[in-house]
Amino acid sequence: GMFATLYHAVLTFPIIEVSLLSMKLSTRMQEVRVRSTMLLEGSQAEELEEVVAVSILGVLERATYWTPKEWEAVLEGVNSLSGENGTDTGQRIVERSGILVSLEEEWDKVQAACK
């Protein structure tokens, strides 16, 4: 399905634009799903959360420079999984995938470059 295609695209095409596009699309879908209690069949909800996570990691790994828009998109993605409107599954995925550790490492690199 569509979630598997996005997941595959992020892993197959290691360029920042693909990861950003997938992250933005899957994040919006996750936000709509949670807000409207959009029903996804079977394991589709978890598949969507996995796509958000792998897309976030793709952006964190592939970004060579950061603008406020990239930071905002990454933070929105993390928030959609584990923030105020996140889910228990999303929180577990964030913890298991090491997103917060990667995010902190990228932030440290940006701060070091600014000194």
Side-chain angles (χ1 to χ4, degrees):
M2 185 172 94
F3 304 142
T5 301
L6 286 172
Y7 192 94
H8 179 74
V10 170
L11 297 179
T12 304
F13 303 103
I15 55 175
I16 186 72
E17 292 83 5
V18 171
S19 296
L20 268 171
L21 182 60
S22 176
M23 183 182 63
K24 288 177 182 181
L25 178 61
S26 58
T27 296
R28 293 296 169 257
M29 292 172 70
Q30 171 72 359
E31 290 171 347
V32 168
R33 181 187 75 82
V34 171
R35 277 193 214 127
S36 67
T37 61
M38 179 175 78
L39 298 177
L40 295 174
E41 295 182 17
S43 63
Q44 286 183 325
E46 189 169 339
E47 288 176 21
L48 174 57
E49 291 173 327
E50 290 284 350
V51 170
V52 176
V54 77
S55 299
I56 292 169
L57 288 170
V59 170
L60 291 170
E61 290 173 10
R62 296 170 183 144
T64 55
Y65 64 91
W66 289 91
T67 68
K69 284 189 174 194
E70 278 94 17
W71 280 115
E72 181 180 15
V74 167
L75 294 174
E76 285 177 359
V78 173
N79 189 52
S80 77
L81 292 175
S82 62
E84 181 179 316
N85 293 320
T87 65
D88 290 340
T89 303
Q91 180 65 40
R92 284 192 299 275
I93 290 170
V94 167
E95 290 171 7
R96 183 182 73 230
S97 64
I99 287 174
L100 297 180
V101 172
S102 296
L103 186 60
E104 184 177 10
E105 289 171 356
E106 283 302 311
W107 182 248
D108 290 344
K109 288 179 194 175
V110 168
Q111 287 185 316
C114 293
K115 291 182 179 181

